[in-house]
């Protein structure tokens, strides 16, 4: 079973690239404008809460990217369609960047709010472990010279690592942590004001565009690297 | 009477097809020489026959029973791969002891090594031997004698003329006892065996 | 072939049973191990925690903050039911305020007081601009602390 | 299965230097505590309970290259896999020998060390029980990581990066005496995961 992708698709991805990059930068600028100038400060935290506009989307996408990664590894094992393997490998690096981003912005936010850069509570620690899981996935693949084998082995590792995702997600509900629980999921009571939701929403779209753009570039590179194009024609 | 049958065997390694529609039948008492250039799939064929590779197209069967379903099949063959299966930091004697346990059979190694003129090496560390000597010791595993097939991957590499001849003699004796030998080689052998196949 | 399926089924069922037992064991014993801080009620219930270094979390009680000098503070931490008195020497974080969440790290003394050497402000999940808080409070819809 | 256990024990007996290195490594890490933190007995006691887990984790990480790698590289793994058609049995016997050769000596030496760090009998027994249960789980994890990284280059760092996050739960719960049931649960979970993944890895590298 070969990839159900032909050269036309690759060309399409290639030609869509500049537009996607432009759109990403454009939405990022709008989002930054809204979050830095248009939105009001928080009633307690003041201006330092603006970091949330980048912190929250990157944490979401760190988790989501890993879920897609593990999910496509599972699908690859079931269907044996190499497309899923290529997808998993294209998004891993972006996921790692998102994780690092949320860790860094989180500690910048933590200093003025909590009073410390870092605490060893369940949410922060499990997020750090997620970062190492991404590293393990990426470098395990690189370290094994037989690339077909490398894909299978690192996919198995990615699936095992998925145990960490529900731990990150629910750590704030299961245990007493310093990190606050999710703000968005509670629809009944207003945890976030609408004037703050708008920039958060724009920044989420910007992060999503970033994920898609970089993943598509990586997708093309991975295909070329694997010389899978040869089997298509 | 054993009959090993390979039907329409094709196998893909990574992106490249290494075996393409191979059909071979080998009967008891015969030797098959698998020839081919480097990377043509000789080792792959042996690893399919030894049940290590299980994802391939086509069918390999022993007496009309697929080797994947034959639970006893793994106890019938003796595979000598290209690696020597020797621990470099141990003496030959200790290595042989370890093999005895894995093969679940204790041989009179001193006598067998004397027959092959290797008995003077028995207390030497494997690390200090030459490649040819290591290969001879590796082939010593053929003395475990409850097997019906020998799968030999490049057995003549590193062997000098005398050792080559004694290995050929061993293979002949095994054939006379109705054993099947499948060996790979990319050089011309001094003797013609029963069957030869180019892949 | 059927024997292969059978052995796979047995393997699968066995591992399922082991996993279930393991998860049950973990869930039933996972009470206060990963806890980052204790609440006042939990601390008062367990008098064996006295004299140990730990973290205490809750809300700062209204009208309980007193400062002896510029750097020594006394305040009570409450979870609605119980209160524990905390003494802290140092600089309070900006977000420290009465009726707000806080986590303190220090020693739970034998006399039931808590000597803190570190105060962390715990942020809640609400993000609101100040004007909205005012209007919410006026209309009585504000349910936060 | 018994054959393999016998063979591995004999092999480790022949190259017993490995075994002494592991024990010395474990002891040396713990001996560093008083140098780093001073010799105050209360403090030593507290630190010992935590650092003993780090020492165990590191000792297992340095042994991980010896589980399957040597046999894979010299070709013995082929013979072993051929003779043990049910790879799960092979894996279980590797668990047994790996634990027996590399973890049991550490547990045997633990009481002596714990007296050096002023722990009383009761605390020693508690730590011993926790380490005993937790070491199994760590061995299971080490085995599957070893099987997954058989063909990888620069392996010891890579293995450490993969294994340390997986060891974190054991280290979190290990230092609390009352949490041995959680360690038991974790070990059981890692057993099930490990046995499938190790067998999968070995089959892949066998191909």
């Amino acid at each position: 079973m070969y990839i159900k992708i032909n050269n036309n698709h690759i060309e399409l991805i290639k030609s869509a690239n500049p537009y996607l990059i432009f759109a990403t930068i454009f939405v990022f600028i709008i989002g930054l404008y809204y979050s830095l100038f248009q939105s009001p400060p928080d009633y307690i935290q003041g201006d330092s809460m603006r970091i949330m506009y980048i912190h929250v989307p990157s944490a979401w996408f760190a988790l989501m990217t890993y879920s897609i990664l593990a999910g496509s590894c599972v699908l690859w094992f079931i269907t044996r369609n190499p497309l899923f393997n290529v997808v998993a490998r294209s998004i891993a690096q972006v996921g790692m960047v998102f994780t690092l981003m949320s860790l860094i912005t989180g500690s910048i936010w933590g200093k003025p709010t909590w009073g410390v850069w870092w605490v060893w509570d369940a949410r922060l620690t499990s997020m750090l472990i997620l970062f190492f899981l991404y590293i393990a996935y990426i470098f395990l693949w690189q370290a094994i010279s037989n690339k077909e084998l490398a894909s299978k082995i690192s996919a198995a590792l990615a699936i095992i690592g998925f145990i960490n995702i529900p731990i990150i997600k629910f750590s704030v509900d299961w245990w007493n942590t310093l990190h606050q629980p999710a703000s968005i999921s509670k629809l009944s009571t207003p945890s976030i004001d609408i004037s703050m939701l708008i920039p958060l929403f724009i920044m989420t779209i910007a992060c999503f565009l970033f994920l898609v753009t970089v993943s598509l570039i990586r997708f093309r590179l991975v295909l070329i690297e694997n010389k899978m194009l040869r089997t298509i024609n | 009477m054993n009959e090993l049958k390979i039907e329409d065997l094709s196998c893909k390694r990574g992106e490249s097809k290494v075996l393409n529609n191979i059909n071979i039948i080998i009967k008891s008492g015969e030797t098959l020489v698998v020839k081919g250039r480097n990377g043509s799939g000789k080792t792959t064929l042996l690893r399919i026959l030894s049940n290590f590779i299980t994802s391939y197209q086509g069918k390999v069967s022993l007496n009309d029973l697929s080797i994947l379903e034959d639970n006893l099949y793994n106890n019938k063959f003796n595979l000598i791969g290209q690696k020597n299966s020797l621990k470099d930091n141990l003496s030959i004697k200790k290595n042989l002891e370890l093999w005895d346990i894995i093969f679940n059979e204790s041989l009179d190694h001193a006598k067998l090594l004397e027959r092959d003129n290797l008995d003077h090496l028995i207390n030497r560390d494997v690390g200090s031997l030459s490649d040819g000597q290591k290969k001879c010791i590796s082939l010593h595993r053929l003395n475990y004698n409850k097997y019906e097939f020998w799968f030999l991957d490049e057995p003549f590499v590193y062997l000098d003329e005398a050792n080559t001849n004694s290995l050929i003699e061993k293979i002949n004796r095994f054939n006379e006892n109705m054993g099947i030998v499948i060996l790979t080689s990319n050089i011309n052998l001094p003797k013609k065996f029963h069957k030869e196949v180019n892949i | 072939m059927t024997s292969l399926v059978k052995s796979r089924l047995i393997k699968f069922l066995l591992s399922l049973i082991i996993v279930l037992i393991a998860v049950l064991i973990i869930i039933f014993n996972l009470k206060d191990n990963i806890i980052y801080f204790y609440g006042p009620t939990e601390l008062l219930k367990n008098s064996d925690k006295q004299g140990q270094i730990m973290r205490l979390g809750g809300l700062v009680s209204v009208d309980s903050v007193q400062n002896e000098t510029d750097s020594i503070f006394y305040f009570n931490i409450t979870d609605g039911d119980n209160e524990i008195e905390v003494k802290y020497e140092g600089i309070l974080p900006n977000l420290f305020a009465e009726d707000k969440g806080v986590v303190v790290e220090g020693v739970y003394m034998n006399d039931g007081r808590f000597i803190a050497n570190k105060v962390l402000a715990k942020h809640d999940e609400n993000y609101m601009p100040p004007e909205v808080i005012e209007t919410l409070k006026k209309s009585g819809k504000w349910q936060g602390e | 299965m018994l054959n393999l256990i016998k063979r591995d024990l004999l092999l480790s007996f022949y190259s017993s230097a490995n075994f002494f290195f592991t024990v010395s490594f474990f002891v040396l890490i713990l001996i560093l505590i008083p140098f780093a933190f001073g010799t105050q007995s209360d403090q030593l006691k507290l630190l010992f309970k935590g650092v003993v887990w780090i020492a165990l984790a590191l000792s297992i990480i340095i042994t991980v290259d010896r589980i399957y790698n040597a046999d894979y590289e010299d070709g013995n793994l082929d013979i072993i896999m051929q003779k043990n058609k049910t790879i799960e049995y092979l894996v279980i016997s590797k668990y047994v020998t790996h634990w027996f050769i590399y973890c049991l000596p550490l547990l045997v030496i633990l009481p002596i060390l714990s007296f050096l760090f002023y722990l009383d009998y009761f605390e020693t027994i508690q730590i011993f029980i926790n380490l005993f249960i937790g070491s199994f789980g760590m061995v299971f994890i080490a085995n599957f990581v070893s099987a997954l990284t058989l063909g990888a280059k620069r392996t010891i760092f890579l293995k450490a990066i993969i294994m340390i996050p997986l060891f974190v739960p054991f280290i979190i719960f290990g230092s609390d005496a009352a949490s041995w049931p959680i360690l038991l649960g974790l070990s059981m979970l890692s057993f099930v995961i490990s046995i499938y993944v190790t067998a999968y890895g070995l089959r892949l590298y066998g191909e």
Side-chain angles (χ1 to χ4, degrees), chain B:
Chain B
M1 248 333 241
N2 281 327
E3 187 187 60
L4 194 62
K5 200 192 275 177
I6 302 171
E7 290 164 284
D8 294 328
L9 181 69
S10 300
C11 186
K12 226 179 73 183
R13 307 299 288 156
E15 289 308 308
S16 53
K17 249 189 171 175
V18 286
L19 297 173
N20 213 345
N21 281 328
I22 308 263
N23 286 289
I24 305 169
I25 297 175
I26 316 141
K27 295 196 172 78
S28 287
E30 288 182 339
T31 294
L32 170 76
V33 181
V34 182
K35 289 192 153 189
R37 56 185 170 72
N38 291 335
S40 59
K42 301 187 293 288
T43 303
T44 305
L45 180 65
L46 282 194
R47 291 190 84 77
I48 287 175
L49 289 175
S50 332
N51 256 346
F52 280 109
I53 298 176
T54 51
S55 53
Y56 49 82
Q57 278 97 52
K59 196 182 173 195
V60 183
S61 51
L62 173 66
N63 304 332
D64 291 325
L65 179 63
S66 164
I67 59 168
L68 294 172
E69 289 161 32
D70 188 346
N71 284 327
L72 300 172
Y73 179 76
N74 269 21
N75 302 323
K76 289 181 183 164
F77 66 86
N78 196 349
L79 170 73
I80 313 281
Q82 289 180 28
K83 292 171 179 171
N84 291 323
S85 302
L86 291 165
K87 301 275 170 207
D88 271 354
N89 54 342
L90 299 184
S91 70
I92 290 177
K93 198 176 165 195
K94 286 174 179 170
N95 268 297
L96 296 177
E97 266 177 61
L98 293 172
W99 278 349
D100 273 356
I101 300 174
I102 305 179
F103 280 87
N104 204 7
E105 192 180 341
S106 27
L107 297 179
D108 185 359
H109 290 293
K111 207 175 119 195
L112 290 165
L113 286 174
E114 200 181 338
R115 208 174 63 195
D116 295 336
N117 291 325
L118 293 164
D119 51 329
H120 60 286
L121 297 173
I122 193 151
N123 285 319
R124 291 256 304 268
D125 272 6
V126 172
S128 67
L129 300 182
S130 73
D131 284 337
Q133 286 169 318
K134 281 184 199 167
K135 192 83 200 176
C136 287
I137 302 291
S138 177
L139 289 165
H140 182 74
R141 265 179 289 161
L142 294 176
N143 291 318
Y144 292 101
N145 51 20
K146 51 183 185 184
Y147 297 97
E148 296 164 41
F149 308 96
W150 285 358
F151 299 145
L152 314 177
D153 200 356
E154 306 282 6
F156 296 104
V157 171
Y158 297 128
L159 292 189
D160 59 18
E161 204 181 335
N163 283 321
T164 306
N165 289 331
S166 83
L167 177 59
I168 289 174
E169 202 180 297
K170 258 186 197 169
I171 292 174
N172 285 338
R173 224 178 307 132
F174 188 61
N175 280 337
E176 281 158 23
N177 295 325
M178 304 316 275
I180 293 179
V181 181
I182 297 179
L183 62 91
T184 67
S185 174
N186 50 12
I187 49 159
N188 285 320
L189 299 177
K191 177 190 180 281
K192 266 271 183 255
F193 285 108
H194 306 82
K195 275 184 184 161
E196 232 177 65
V197 62
N198 266 301
I199 58 173

